[in-house]
Structures are given as structure tokens and as C-alpha cells.
Amino acid sequence: MPQFMDVHRGMKGISADQLMQAHQADLAIEDEEGVHFEKAWADPESGTVYCLSEAPSAEAIQRVHERAGHRPDEIHPVPLTA
């Protein structure tokens, strides 16, 4: 299944607990869209959050994040990894 990295901006000051809550909200509904969120990272200083996932499409990721309450600003395919 294709991998994607999505980016959320404007989350300045996000805490580890808030990041975990957002990630758990995605995990709770990911199966409905055939998505699997693998990991999330955050930089509280810049307010940027990154999520790595496997999904059938970027649109499926968008739908899960929107329903979970945190729409991504960007979604990028990750066609190669090392």
C-alpha cells in the first residue's frame, strides 16, 4: 500500500499528550477508510506536526484527519524509502 507524509501547521505549543490524543483519534477511525497511521511527530516550537501513514489515497487520509478534527495542510506521497 502507498505511504504518505502529511503536514499540519498552526499547532504551536502542542504537548506530547495532545499529540497522542490527536493520533488516537485518527487510529479510532482509520479502518473506515483503509488507512493506517504509523507514527506522528511534532515540533511544538514551530507548530508543525507530521504523520506517516499507509493509505489507498491522499483523499482517504484527508477524510480521516478531517473527521478527527485536524485537517492537514499538505499530504505528500512517499514513493521511495531507504
Side-chain angles (χ1 to χ4, degrees):
M1 188 168 334
Q3 281 191 311
F4 295 87
M5 179 69 71
D6 61 76
V7 182
H8 305 258
R9 301 197 193 289
M11 300 180 99
K12 194 167 183 148
I14 189 170
S15 69
D17 285 341
Q18 290 170 319
L19 178 63
M20 184 55 71
Q21 288 173 10
H23 186 60
Q24 290 298 323
D26 292 328
L27 295 178
I29 59 174
E30 68 181 9
D31 288 343
E32 296 171 24
E33 293 285 347
V35 174
H36 174 61
F37 289 96
E38 297 178 19
K39 191 147 180 96
W41 299 266
D43 176 1
E45 191 171 313
S46 71
T48 306
V49 174
Y50 303 93
C51 300
L52 180 65
S53 61
E54 290 185 331
S57 67
E59 292 78 18
I61 295 165
Q62 182 83 17
R63 288 189 295 269
V64 171
H65 275 322
E66 284 180 355
R67 289 179 51 207
H70 40 267
R71 186 176 194 273
D73 294 292
E74 304 168 25
I75 301 175
H76 302 276
V78 181
L80 298 174
T81 60

